[in-house]
Amino acid sequence: MGSRLRIVLGQLNLLVGDVPGNAAKIISNALRARDELKAHVVVFPELALTGYPPEDLLLRPDLTVRVELALGEMLREISGIDVIVGYPKRQYGKLFNAASLLRDGKVAATYFKHRLPNYGVFDEKRYFVEGTNPCVIDLQGVPTGITLCEDVWEQGPVEQAQNAGAKLMINLNASPFHKNKGKERFDVVARRARANGVPIVYLNLVGGQDELVFDGDSFVVDGRGEMTQRTPAFVEGLYLVEVDADGQVTPITGPIMPELSEEESVYTALVLGVRDYIGKNGFAGAVIGLSGGIDSALTLCLAVDAIGASRVEAVMMPSQYTAAMSLEDARFQATTLGVKYSFIPIDPMFESFLGALKEEFKGMEPDTTEENIQARIRGTLLMAISNKTRKMVLTTGNKSEMSVGYATLYGDMAGGFAAIKDVPKTLVYRLAEYRNKIKPVIPRRVFERPPSAELAPDQQDTDSLPPYSVLDPILERYVELDQSTDDIIAAGFDEAIVRRVLRMVERNEYKRRQAAPGVRITPRAFGRDRRYPITSGYGAETKNEPGGNGPAGGI
C-alpha cells in the first residue's frame, strides 16, 4: 500500500465573537484528531477563530489583539499535527480574510482570500482587502493549495494554485444554508475540480448564527468531479478523509451520507437555528402563543425538537372569536408533546381596553383596530411571561404573512425570534406533514380547516388575501426572483390579484423592518438579503389605485 495523507475535517459549531472559547474548541478537537484519528492535518472553517460572520466586530481594534493571543495559545498547545485554520489577519495596515498552516509551534504559511463576496447576506468588501498570491503547502509530500469559500465559485484562485504546483485543494468555508444549497455547492466545486483535474476537499461550518444557519455538509471530490465522501449535514464532528499520495493524488472513497429531502433539510435547519439562537443567547427556554392553527403548531414542534419539551411553554389565549376546535387542537398538541400549557382568556382585558377607549372611539365602527387590540393583548401577556421566566418568545408568523403585512405590530409580531419567518405558508403545511410522519402530534383537522386569525366573527385569511396556493408563487417571483409586475402577469397570474399583492408587499416594509430576526431558508429572506427603503416612491403608480391606502392587517 502506498502512502496516505490523513486529513480530518473539523466541521464545528462556533460562537461569533468568542475568540478564546473558539480557540479552546479548536485546540481540543485538533488534539482529538491527532490522538484518536491519527491525522496528519486537521482543517477548521473560514474565520473559525472569530466565528462567521463577525460583522462590525471586525472594526474593533481589540478583536485583532484577541485573535493574536488565541493564535499564540494554539501554537503553544498543539503539536504533532498540522492545523489549517481561518481567521481575520491584519497585515500591512490592512485586514485580510486569512487561513494559516500552523506547524511545530509556528505559522508556516498564510493565504489571503482572493474573492470577497459582497451580495446577498455577504458584506466582505466592507471589511477585507483581497489577496493576490496563491498558497501551496506540503502535506506529507502532497503539494496542497489553500483557498477560502468564494475562491472556488469563481475562476482564478484554484487555477493559480495549480499553476504553483498544487495537486490537491483544501477549501475552507462558511457557506450558509438555503433550500437546495447543497446541490448548488457540489455542482460548482465539481465543475472546478473537472476543469483543473484536481481533487478538492470542501469543509463547511455548521451551526446557527442569528438569521443564518450553516449546514456543514462538507464533501470531497476527485479530479473528475466525482464525489468520494460527504459528511452528515447539520451535525458537528470530526470526519476523516484519506488521500492516496502514492503517485497520482486521489481521494479514497469514504462514507457518502445521503442527501436530505427538501422538507427534512429545511426542518432540520429551522431546529438548529432555534436551538442555537436560544442557547447562544442564554435564554432559559421558549414560550409560544398556541392558537390551534398550523403556524403555531409547527413552531411548537420546532421548539420542542430544538431544546426539549421541559424548556418550552405553550400559552392559549382565547377570545370570544376563538373556535372550540382551536382550543381542543391546541391542548391536544401541547399534551402530546409534553410541554407546559397555560390557558389565559383575554376577553376581560379586551373589554377593559374598549372601555378605556370608549370616548376615543365614539361614533366609529369597529374595524381592524379592535382586531389588533386582541393581538397586542396576547403579545403583552407573552412578553410578561418571557420577562418573568427568561424564556424567549418565539413568534409564529410565516413568510407569506410577513410579505404582505398580514400581522400586527407589537401583537403577534412581538417576540425575540421568528422561527418560520422565511417559510412560505404552503411550505409550512409541507413541513408540518413531514413532522407528523415522525410522530403524529398535529391534529388532522388543523391541516384541513381554512386558516384564520380568529380576531373577528367567522374570519378567514382569504377574506384579506388570495389563497396561499396563488399568493406564494406570486411572492416567490416578486420577492425572491425580482420579477416585474408585467413578468408575473405574463406568467399567467390574474392582473388584479398581482397588483393587489405587490401593493401589499411595497407598503409593509416598515413592518418587516420591526420584525424579530428569523431563520433564513430561502435564497432571498427579509433582513440581510433584501434591504428596501421604508420611505420610497418606487411603485408609486400603484399606490393610488383602489385599496392602496393603509397597511394590510393593521398597523
Side-chain angles (χ1 to χ4, degrees), residues 9-331:
L9 305 183
Q11 185 171 287
L12 298 189
N13 187 340
L14 302 162
L15 177 56
V16 165
D18 184 13
V19 178
N22 293 338
K25 192 167 190 174
I26 290 168
I27 291 169
S28 65
N29 278 277
L31 298 181
R32 280 189 57 214
R34 180 194 68 187
D35 298 338
E36 297 175 20
L37 299 175
K38 311 302 180 186
H40 299 116
V41 58
V42 59
V43 187
F44 297 103
E46 179 181 17
L47 292 182
L49 270 179
T50 58
Y52 192 96
E55 299 184 296
D56 279 8
L57 291 176
L58 291 165
L59 303 179
R60 299 190 62 86
D62 56 337
L63 183 70
T64 299
V65 176
R66 297 185 189 195
V67 167
E68 292 298 328
L69 289 173
L71 274 174
E73 182 182 7
M74 291 170 62
L75 291 170
R76 288 190 300 273
E77 297 293 329
I78 301 172
S79 62
I81 186 171
D82 288 344
V83 175
I84 300 174
V85 63
Y87 64 101
K89 181 173 179 60
R90 192 168 294 279
Q91 188 167 300
Y92 319 124
K94 300 174 182 177
L95 189 64
F96 296 91
N97 186 340
S100 286
L101 168 65
L102 312 185
R103 174 182 287 168
D104 298 329
K106 296 179 180 179
V107 177
T110 297
Y111 173 79
F112 295 149
K113 188 175 182 178
H114 288 194
R115 303 290 192 259
L116 302 178
N118 216 64
Y119 55 85
V121 300
F122 303 107
D123 286 309
E124 292 199 22
K125 290 185 179 179
R126 176 179 173 88
Y127 309 107
F128 298 116
V129 174
E130 292 181 346
T132 56
N133 298 323
C135 179
V136 179
I137 58 178
D138 183 287
L139 297 178
Q140 298 293 305
V142 178
T144 304
I146 300 175
T147 55
L148 285 159
C149 204
E150 193 80 2
D151 291 333
V152 297
W153 288 73
E154 298 183 24
Q155 191 170 4
V158 173
E159 289 77 4
Q160 194 178 12
Q162 188 180 30
N163 290 336
K167 303 296 184 185
L168 173 71
M169 297 299 303
I170 294 178
N171 184 249
L172 286 63
N173 291 266
S175 177
F177 169 84
H178 63 64
K179 290 187 298 177
N180 303 314
K181 184 66 176 288
K183 182 179 186 305
E184 184 181 356
R185 289 193 203 109
F186 170 73
D187 289 345
V188 167
V189 174
R191 283 198 303 270
R192 189 70 56 219
R194 282 194 300 270
N196 295 278
V198 60
I200 299 177
V201 177
Y202 181 100
L203 165 68
N204 195 26
L205 181 69
V206 70
Q209 172 57 33
D210 295 345
E211 301 102 319
L212 303 181
V213 170
F214 300 89
D215 53 328
D217 202 24
S218 307
F219 59 89
V220 183
V221 296
D222 62 21
R224 298 170 299 170
E226 299 293 328
M227 182 180 291
T228 61
Q229 191 166 338
R230 179 166 57 204
T231 70
F234 303 103
V235 179
E236 185 177 27
L238 296 177
Y239 302 98
L240 177 64
V241 174
E242 292 188 284
V243 177
D244 187 341
D246 186 20
Q248 187 174 2
V249 176
T250 307
I252 305 302
T253 300
I256 299 178
M257 301 303 294
E259 189 174 356
L260 304 182
S261 69
E262 182 175 301
E263 290 82 5
E264 185 177 6
S265 64
V266 170
Y267 190 89
T268 308
L270 294 170
V271 167
L272 180 55
V274 169
R275 178 187 299 131
D276 276 3
Y277 195 85
I278 292 173
K280 291 179 179 181
N281 285 293
F283 286 95
V287 58
I288 297 164
L290 195 61
S291 69
I294 194 71
D295 294 324
S296 64
L298 177 61
T299 303
L300 185 65
C301 290
L302 292 168
V304 169
D305 292 345
I307 61 174
S310 64
R311 297 177 61 197
V312 179
E313 179 174 354
V315 185
M316 182 66 181
M317 297 166 285
S319 75
Q320 59 186 304
Y321 306 117
T322 303
M325 73 171 69
S326 297
L327 297 173
E328 295 165 4
D329 293 344
R331 188 185 303 276

Side-chain angles (χ1 to χ4, degrees), residues 35 103 285 330 424 435 459 476:
D35 298 338
R103 174 182 287 168
R435 181 58 178 82
Q459 186 180 51
E476 181 182 22

Side-chain angles (χ1 to χ4, degrees), residues 331-354:
R331 188 185 303 276
F332 173 86
Q333 189 186 8
T335 303
T336 304
L337 286 170
V339 303
K340 179 183 177 182
Y341 178 73
S342 303
F343 182 81
I344 308 176
I346 68 167
D347 279 337
M349 289 168 270
F350 183 44
E351 293 302 322
S352 294
F353 268 87
L354 294 183

